């Protein structure tokens, strides 16, 4: 029977507690840091001439879908009632309400060093030490809304512009494409700085701290954010029936993207699964 992923703002106090406790246990077991390590390992920008499975590539969506399923599996081995909730950042836009409450993700970082001081993932609470990072900082950091140079979360119009794209992705399948659902949602735009960050990318920058960079998985909001991104893929499929993951075939030897993107029927490393097999997950979970 498929399980349900819920809107984080609709979780009961008991559901919040069980989700948090399961996360802390997965962290204690070392499984969480393995997922951080996988994400860091697959942070390959499109300036590099090797395979990009996770970002700046068509498989951005299936790759993160699979990573979420790995975390969710670990959580459900701890507590079978737990699923990953999603954070609808088009609606829950305040830095002092859900999901930033003391009984869920905790609050903003303090001004001096951006260290998160409240909630279950604060360093001083004793259960959330960052061991796999791109810096030596061991505490969770956030800068919600970027105090020094404020940015806004993506609007529902910005998200709508992604859902309205009829084609999944277009050549050259990287961060430069201006059409297609995948990059309009992933959010690599034109120009420099905050104007260029859209949708998914903009949310990482709005949260700030460890959410900016390859070790973003260290902030548990990563999962709530990516569950909402994953929900958009499901919505896009419903709106554009018959349109599938692209490219269907690997770019040929003469193509600059040869060997650098994952085609529909190719394995998505590090897993033994293809984007095609990850398109329909209705037998595993649904969104409520
Ligand atoms: Cu990622
Ligand atoms: Cu992300």
């Amino acid at each position: 029977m498929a399980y349900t992923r819920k809107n984080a703002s609709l979780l009961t106090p008991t559901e919040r507690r069980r989700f948090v406790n399961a996360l802390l246990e997965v962290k204690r077991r070392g499984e969480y840091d393995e997922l951080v390590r996988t994400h860091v390992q697959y942070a390959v920008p499109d300036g590099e001439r090797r395979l990009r499975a996770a970002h700046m590539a068509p498989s951005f969506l299936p790759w993160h879908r699979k990573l979420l399923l790995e975390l969710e599996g670990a959580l459900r081995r701890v507590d079978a009632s737990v699923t990953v909730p999603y954070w609808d950042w088009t609606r829950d836009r305040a830095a002092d309400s859900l999901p930033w409450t003391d009984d869920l993700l905790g609050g903003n970082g303090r001004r001096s060093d951006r260290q998160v001081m409240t909630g279950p993932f604060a360093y001083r609470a004793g259960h959330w030490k960052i061991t796999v990072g791109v810096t030596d900082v061991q505490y969770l950091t956030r800068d919600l809304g970027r105090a020094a140079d404020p940015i806004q979360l993506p609007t529902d119009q910005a998200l709508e512009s992604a859902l309205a794209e009829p084609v999944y992705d277009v050549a050259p399948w990287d961060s430069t494409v201006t059409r297609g659902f995948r990059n309009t949602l992933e959010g690599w735009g034109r120009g420099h700085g905050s104007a260029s960050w859209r949708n998914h990318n903009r949310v990482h920058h709005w949260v700030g701290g460890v959410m900016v960079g390859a070790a973003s998985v260290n902030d548990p909001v990563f999962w709530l954010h990516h569950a909402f991104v994953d929900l958009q893929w499901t919505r896009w499929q419903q709106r554009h029936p018959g349109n599938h993951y692209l490219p269907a075939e690997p770019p040929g030897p003469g193509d600059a993207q040869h060997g650098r993107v994952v085609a529909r029927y190719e394995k998505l490393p590090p897993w033994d699964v293809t984007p095609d097999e990850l398109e329909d997950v209705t037998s595993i979970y649904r969104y409520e």
Side-chain angles (χ1 to χ4, degrees):
M1 241 265 293
Y3 54 79
T4 303
R5 290 185 182 170
K6 297 174 185 162
N7 186 319
S9 71
L10 300 178
L11 295 184
T12 66
T14 304
E15 286 170 332
R16 294 185 206 176
R17 181 171 48 77
R18 295 182 82 146
F19 173 64
V20 166
N21 287 344
L23 272 174
L24 296 178
E25 176 59 17
V26 168
K27 173 79 169 174
R28 196 193 64 78
R29 293 178 179 184
E31 295 174 56
Y32 195 96
D33 291 343
E34 278 306 310
L35 298 174
V36 182
R37 199 168 283 118
T38 299
H39 192 267
V40 170
Q41 200 180 337
Y42 280 82
V44 178
D46 55 11
E48 288 182 31
R49 302 194 66 82
R50 52 191 180 113
L51 181 72
R52 306 182 308 279
H55 309 99
M56 298 181 169
S59 51
F60 165 71
L61 286 161
W63 196 90
H64 286 84
R65 172 167 283 183
K66 181 61 179 162
L67 193 73
L68 252 83
L69 283 168
E70 295 288 308
L71 183 267
E72 201 164 43
L75 294 174
R76 291 168 65 78
R77 286 193 291 277
V78 173
D79 181 342
S81 77
V82 171
T83 64
V84 177
Y86 62 88
W87 167 34
D88 182 346
W89 29 257
T90 68
R91 287 169 189 263
D92 296 311
R93 303 173 68 82
D96 56 358
S97 61
L98 272 160
W100 313 111
T101 54
D102 287 357
D103 66 349
L104 198 55
L105 299 183
N108 198 2
R110 67 181 173 189
R111 193 175 303 215
S112 57
D113 57 2
R114 292 294 156 205
Q115 180 173 176
V116 171
M117 303 303 290
T118 56
F121 307 102
Y123 184 82
R124 62 176 185 180
H127 309 294
W128 206 261
K129 181 160 135 187
I130 295 177
T131 58
V132 181
V134 287
T135 69
D136 292 334
V137 175
Q138 292 189 321
Y139 52 80
L140 182 60
T141 51
R142 288 179 189 142
D143 182 7
L144 303 182
R146 288 209 315 180
D149 184 13
I151 61 167
Q152 305 300 317
L153 285 166
T155 60
D156 47 5
Q157 294 95 308
L159 185 54
E160 171 56 31
S161 73
L163 290 167
E165 287 284 333
V167 175
Y168 178 82
D169 205 353
V170 297
W173 322 108
D174 61 7
S175 70
T176 69
V177 299
T178 56
R179 291 183 302 118
F181 169 63
R182 186 274 308 171
N183 193 39
T184 316
L185 181 61
E186 188 180 2
W188 303 101
R190 290 167 187 275
H192 292 282
S194 59
S196 69
W197 305 323
R198 295 176 298 165
N199 286 317
H200 155 266
N201 280 347
R202 175 165 282 262
V203 175
H204 277 273
H205 285 277
W206 185 89
V207 176
V210 304
M211 269 288 273
V212 178
S216 51
V217 180
N218 280 306
D219 191 331
V221 77
F222 176 91
W223 308 104
L224 282 71
H225 171 37
H226 270 277
F228 189 59
V229 169
D230 187 72
L231 165 57
Q232 307 316 313
W233 190 14
T234 302
R235 287 184 176 160
W236 178 85
Q237 288 171 325
Q238 287 164 353
R239 201 188 290 195
H240 307 279
N243 290 10
H244 290 282
Y245 180 95
L246 293 171
E249 300 295 334
D255 192 307
Q257 293 298 321
H258 178 68
R260 297 169 65 190
V261 298
V262 177
R264 190 186 302 164
Y265 305 105
E266 292 185 303
K267 297 282 187 226
L268 187 56
W271 302 291
D272 188 24
V273 66
T274 67
D276 180 67
E277 290 163 339
L278 286 163
E279 266 194 337
D280 181 1
V281 284
T282 50
S283 66
I284 308 172
Y285 63 85
R286 283 154 217 261
Y287 286 100
E288 185 179 88

